[in-house]
Amino acid sequence: MVSSKDVAKHAGVSQTTVSRVLNTPELVKKPTLEKVMKAIDELNYMPNLHARSLVQNKTGSIALLSGPLHNPFFVDSTTEIVNYANDKGYRVSVQFVNDEKLSEAYATAFEHKVDGIILSCMLLDDPIFEKLKRMNIPFITYNRKHKNNEYFVEIDNVQAGYLAVKHMVELGHTNIAWVGGPLSVSTFHNRYVGYKKAMEEYGLDVSEKYIFNTDTSKQDIALAFEQLKNLENRPTAICGGSDSLALFLMDEAFQHGLSIPNDLSIIGIDNVDMSKHGSIQLTTVGSISEENLGFLAIQELIEMIENKKNSCIQITESVKVFKRNTTRSLKTNL
Amino acid sequence: MVSSKDVAKHAGVSQTTVSRVLNTPELVKKPTLEKVMKAIDELNYMPNLHARSLVQNKTGSIALLSGPLHNPFFVDSTTEIVNYANDKGYRVSVQFVNDEKLSEAYATAFEHKVDGIILSCMLLDDPIFEKLKRMNIPFITYNRKHKNNEYFVEIDNVQAGYLAVKHMVELGHTNIAWVGGPLSVSTFHNRYVGYKKAMEEYGLDVSEKYIFNTDTSKQDIALAFEQLKNLENRPTAICGGSDSLALFLMDEAFQHGLSIPNDLSIIGIDNVDMSKHGSIQLTTVGSISEENLGFLAIQELIEMIENKKNSCIQITESVKVFKRNTTRSLKTNL
DNA sequence: CACAAAAATGAATACGTAACCATTTTCTTT
DNA sequence: AAAGAAAATGGTTACGTATTCATTTTTGTG
């Protein structure tokens, strides 16, 4: 392993000068600089960033604790986060966190003294939150938030749930089911609140048999679908708590030989890239702005890291319906 | 920042003992161990892995240079790679490499002295290959390979291209187009070779107007599709050089109001998870084994890192056709 | 109980870098 | 040409850990 000392010896200067060449080249005379550069080149020297981290007490790396990529939301956000951070000179260590491995994931981030943490695996009432805060590392949540969160980026989830129902109502649906996720997650919680609010405002039946807050596993969603299908008063429309859920539901529908939107209307929430694909054309509720939530969050995080700004960052993007082909009007077919 | 020295002072032992508690607890007496553990807990100490890396000359981290996630192949492989590596105690720094930023990406990996590199952004004739080899860091390529590669995991790409054509021929197609990617990439190159081989064996027309080796951008694919559509002797089938390309082509078909497979049969290669979705049902050629290429590669890489084994690793998985709903027989409709 | 062997602990050092302060060299001004 | 200022360079240290070697304490044996 060739070090800056080796370069120094080879160039006939001190290690300090080698360090200067790399960090403050304007402070070193041109001939010296060239000598050192030549030595660096000849020895194929690359600085050891761990050693640098040790003395500078910053690492140039960010931990991303993402949800799994089989959820297309995280495909979009991971892409944006990694690319933006890399552009800004940060490495990003990715972990796809499941609930069992959560605390392990945090430990890894802490031990590597990352400059910041960006995460989407926070429960509304997660005890890890206070621990995280005490670590004094800048962190921001995207998509989800903790009840005491000061730094987060989300969409207006209540409104999203509300608009999903409103869309269905406007198409003439009255039997509108909900298939969401765990209410311990802010996102699903608030979307569900929006669903109930709209259902009540429109005077529709919100009986429990239409409502499934799943654990987001394929099996649990399949179970929910099965039960909805077997209902005597089968729903004509399902609001999925996320695009990922909606896509699972579509898949289930196909497995059961149902045609969408003819036999069943489905709407999602998130407006993920994949929902736009010609074969899918998922109607969904998503942010008005083009900016991805992950992108907004990583921008803010890096701002926090570099400018140490400590005012709260609480971004809640407005939402609208993106009408595509998985929902249809019941009225035209009367 | 609380260090092992602080813990030592707080527990009334030496820093060496603290280090032993963390690394070789069997060498320290029970009461001492408990004292130290208590101090660690009270001070909320977490070891600094950068310092550890410095002295141990290994980092416990792996660099993943992946293609972009809008290609579902990389969704699958990134998931497998990150999860497996994390399970084995490695962090993985992910970069989604595009061609301009390639050498930058390597530099980042080197400077962080990663224990290994797993990558899929290698050209058949990439000058970076020799550089990489000289760095003496274990590395393995998945999906793609360099012409001199000693460590790689791939599918039998020639056979994949061949089987795609064979499938179409068996369905009665004779006008079979090819929309692939850059021939500087081993994967596309070999799949294209397989396509041509089959076309020639079956005595079919392989004229240039049916062949597009795109840059895999949406625009370029759209252009290819447009040109194929405007041909007087329009192809009834297209072989996509990858599932990602096939999905783009499907999207184009929808945009042009074509129905798949009624108006056009499309087959991909890779058998990505997404191709199985009910709304997509892409017929494709993929590995016979269930194991993801990324998974196989990361397993081998970690094996290389930990056991320093230096025999070549050259895995080429056999392939078969997964018949779904984007290809149809021309014969039944005679 | 003595003494050797084994177990437990500690002191000093190295890893590769940046930062701080000291020294040397160069430039400027009179 | 001399003195002072500025520029360039070097020596030393700190960062937080694991390792090596030395020392102390404990255990086992006759």
Side-chain angles (χ1 to χ4, degrees):
Chain A
M1 199 94 329
V2 34
S3 74
S4 58
K5 269 181 197 161
D6 301 323
V7 174
K9 194 176 291 175
H10 193 260
V13 298
S14 70
Q15 182 268 327
T16 308
T17 298
V18 176
S19 176
R20 259 190 289 259
V21 167
L22 295 172
N23 298 288
T24 50
E26 67 277 11
L27 293 184
V28 26
K29 250 202 312 197
K30 201 170 271 178
T32 316
L33 192 129
E34 279 161 3
K35 249 193 322 187
V36 173
M37 292 297 263
K38 186 156 161 278
I40 287 178
D41 206 53
E42 284 176 7
L43 297 181
N44 202 18
Y45 165 74
M46 313 206 93
N48 183 326
L49 296 194
H50 294 286
R52 181 178 291 173
S53 299
L54 202 54
V55 46
Q56 290 192 326
N57 204 28
K58 61 179 174 181
T59 62
S61 69
I62 288 173
L64 165 59
L65 310 187
S66 170
L69 290 184
H70 63 67
N71 180 338
F73 174 82
F74 293 114
V75 171
D76 300 351
S77 55
T78 299
T79 296
E80 298 283 341
I81 290 167
V82 169
N83 286 342
Y84 184 83
N86 283 348
D87 275 356
K88 292 289 176 183
Y90 292 85
R91 282 182 319 143
V92 10
S93 289
V94 180
Q95 297 185 72
F96 301 115
V97 178
N98 51 22
D99 294 335
E100 309 113 57
K101 303 229 166 159
L102 192 54
S103 59
E104 219 176 288
Y106 288 110
T108 313
F110 295 151
E111 291 176 346
H112 283 88
K113 313 291 177 204
V114 293
D115 294 340
I117 302 178
I118 177 166
L119 70 160
S120 179
C121 48
M122 176 66 71
L123 302 180
L124 245 176
D125 203 356
D126 206 319
I128 198 79
F129 181 81
E130 296 302 329
K131 221 171 180 177
L132 202 51
K133 222 171 142 184
R134 249 182 290 126
M135 290 303 296
N136 231 20
I137 298 177
F139 72 98
I140 192 166
T141 68
Y142 63 100
N143 196 36
R144 303 183 183 184
K145 67 182 178 192
H146 186 267
K147 62 179 170 144
N148 299 331
N149 236 117
E150 287 158 0
Y151 303 89
F152 63 80
V153 177
E154 61 171 4
I155 59 170
D156 187 338
N157 287 306
V158 175
Q159 183 69 3
Y162 186 92
L163 289 183
V165 173
K166 180 162 179 263
H167 175 71
M168 292 299 192
V169 170
E170 286 171 354
L171 292 177
H173 294 271
T174 51
N175 278 346
I176 305 170
W178 173 261
V179 178
L183 297 182
S184 52
V185 172
S186 68
T187 320
F188 288 124
H189 178 270
N190 288 340
R191 291 172 183 184
Y192 176 56
V193 166
Y195 162 82
K196 273 198 307 189
K197 183 171 160 233
M199 292 296 279
E200 281 159 15
E201 272 189 34
Y202 287 109
L204 298 174
D205 179 16
V206 286
S207 78
E208 298 219 338
K209 60 181 195 281
Y210 288 133
I211 292 170
F212 292 85
N213 285 305
T214 71
D215 62 9
T216 74
S217 74
K218 193 169 170 51
Q219 300 93 307
D220 213 22
I221 297 164
L223 199 69
F225 189 87
E226 187 86 31
Q227 298 200 29
L228 284 171
K229 197 194 163 203
N230 293 337
L231 247 39
E232 52 183 322
N233 213 352
R234 195 197 285 183
T236 59
I238 306 181
C239 298
S242 67
D243 280 0
S244 177
L245 282 164
L247 288 165
F248 274 127
L249 290 168
M250 287 173 72
D251 205 12
E252 283 305 312
F254 281 104
Q255 311 258 333
H256 284 79
L258 295 181
S259 158
I260 290 175
N262 292 330
D263 302 327
L264 179 67
S265 285
I266 293 183
I267 189 170
I269 299 177
D270 278 338
N271 191 27
V272 298
D273 279 352
M274 198 176 140
S275 65
K276 298 162 192 154
H277 191 274
S279 311
I280 299 202
Q281 296 280 7
L282 175 65
T283 298
T284 185
V285 184
S287 170
I288 282 178
S289 103
E290 286 298 304
E291 307 293 19
N292 174 285
L293 286 188
F295 179 72
L296 294 173
I298 188 68
Q299 273 189 311
E300 295 295 340
L301 179 64
I302 289 178
E303 184 74 9
M304 284 162 70
I305 292 170
E306 296 185 348
N307 298 335
K308 309 280 183 202
K309 77 167 170 180
N310 47 12
S311 57
C312 284
I313 295 167
Q314 309 197 333
I315 299 178
T316 301
E317 295 277 290
S318 302
V319 290
K320 66 175 181 188
V321 172
F322 293 80
K323 171 81 178 87
R324 301 205 180 93
N325 291 333
T326 57
T327 53
R328 78 176 244 276
S329 173
L330 291 184
K331 295 169 183 168
T332 56
N333 283 28
L334 283 179
Chain B
M1 198 93 328
V2 34
S3 73
S4 58
K5 269 181 197 162
D6 301 324
V7 174
K9 193 176 292 175
H10 192 259
V13 299
S14 70
Q15 182 268 327
T16 308
T17 298
V18 176
S19 176
R20 259 191 288 260
V21 167
L22 296 171
N23 298 288
T24 50
E26 68 277 10
L27 293 183
V28 28
K29 249 203 309 196
K30 204 171 266 178
T32 317
L33 192 130
E34 279 160 4
K35 251 193 321 188
V36 173
M37 292 298 261
K38 185 156 160 277
I40 286 178
D41 206 52
E42 284 175 7
L43 298 182
N44 201 16
Y45 164 73
M46 312 206 93
N48 183 325
L49 295 194
H50 294 288
R52 181 177 291 174
S53 299
L54 201 55
V55 45
Q56 290 192 325
N57 203 28
K58 61 179 174 182
T59 62
S61 69
I62 288 173
L64 165 59
L65 310 187
S66 170
L69 291 183
H70 63 67
N71 180 340
F73 173 82
F74 293 115
V75 171
D76 301 350
S77 56
T78 299
T79 296
E80 298 283 342
I81 291 167
V82 168
N83 287 342
Y84 184 84
N86 284 348
D87 275 357
K88 291 289 175 183
Y90 292 84
R91 283 183 317 144
V92 9
S93 288
V94 179
Q95 297 186 71
F96 301 115
V97 178
N98 50 24
D99 294 335
E100 308 113 57
K101 302 229 168 159
L102 192 55
S103 59
E104 221 176 287
Y106 288 110
T108 313
F110 296 151
E111 290 176 347
H112 283 88
K113 313 288 176 205
V114 293
D115 293 341
I117 302 177
I118 177 168
L119 69 161
S120 179
C121 48
M122 176 67 71
L123 302 180
L124 246 176
D125 203 355
D126 207 319
I128 199 79
F129 180 82
E130 297 302 329
K131 223 173 179 175
L132 201 51
K133 221 171 143 185
R134 249 182 288 125
M135 290 305 294
N136 231 20
I137 298 177
F139 72 98
I140 193 168
T141 69
Y142 63 101
N143 196 34
R144 302 184 183 184
K145 66 181 179 191
H146 186 267
K147 61 180 170 139
N148 299 332
N149 236 115
E150 287 158 0
Y151 303 89
F152 62 80
V153 177
E154 61 171 5
I155 59 171
D156 187 338
N157 287 305
V158 174
Q159 183 69 1
Y162 185 92
L163 288 183
V165 172
K166 180 162 178 263
H167 175 71
M168 292 300 192
V169 169
E170 285 171 354
L171 292 177
H173 294 271
T174 52
N175 278 345
I176 305 170
W178 172 261
V179 178
L183 297 182
S184 53
V185 172
S186 69
T187 322
F188 290 123
H189 177 270
N190 288 341
R191 291 172 183 184
Y192 176 57
V193 166
Y195 162 82
K196 274 197 306 187
K197 182 171 160 234
M199 291 296 279
E200 282 159 14
E201 272 190 34
Y202 286 108
L204 299 173
D205 180 16
V206 286
S207 78
E208 297 220 339
K209 60 182 196 281
Y210 288 132
I211 293 171
F212 293 85
N213 285 305
T214 70
D215 62 10
T216 74
S217 74
K218 194 170 168 50
Q219 300 92 306
D220 213 22
I221 297 164
L223 199 70
F225 189 87
E226 186 86 31
Q227 297 200 30
L228 284 171
K229 196 193 163 204
N230 293 337
L231 245 40
E232 53 183 320
N233 214 351
R234 195 198 285 183
T236 59
I238 306 181
C239 298
S242 68
D243 280 0
S244 177
L245 281 163
L247 288 165
F248 275 127
L249 289 168
M250 285 173 73
D251 204 13
E252 282 305 312
F254 281 105
Q255 311 258 333
H256 284 81
L258 295 181
S259 158
I260 290 175
N262 293 329
D263 302 327
L264 180 67
S265 285
I266 293 183
I267 190 171
I269 300 176
D270 278 337
N271 191 27
V272 299
D273 279 352
M274 198 177 141
S275 66
K276 298 162 192 156
H277 191 275
S279 310
I280 298 200
Q281 297 280 8
L282 175 66
T283 298
T284 184
V285 184
S287 171
I288 282 178
S289 103
E290 286 297 304
E291 307 293 20
N292 175 286
L293 287 188
F295 179 73
L296 294 173
I298 188 69
Q299 273 189 312
E300 295 295 341
L301 179 64
I302 289 178
E303 184 73 8
M304 283 162 70
I305 292 172
E306 296 185 346
N307 297 334
K308 310 277 182 204
K309 78 167 169 180
N310 46 13
S311 57
C312 283
I313 295 168
Q314 309 197 333
I315 299 178
T316 301
E317 296 277 291
S318 301
V319 291
K320 66 175 180 188
V321 172
F322 293 80
K323 171 81 178 87
R324 302 203 181 93
N325 291 333
T326 58
T327 51
R328 79 176 244 275
S329 172
L330 291 184
K331 296 169 183 166
T332 56
N333 284 30
L334 281 180

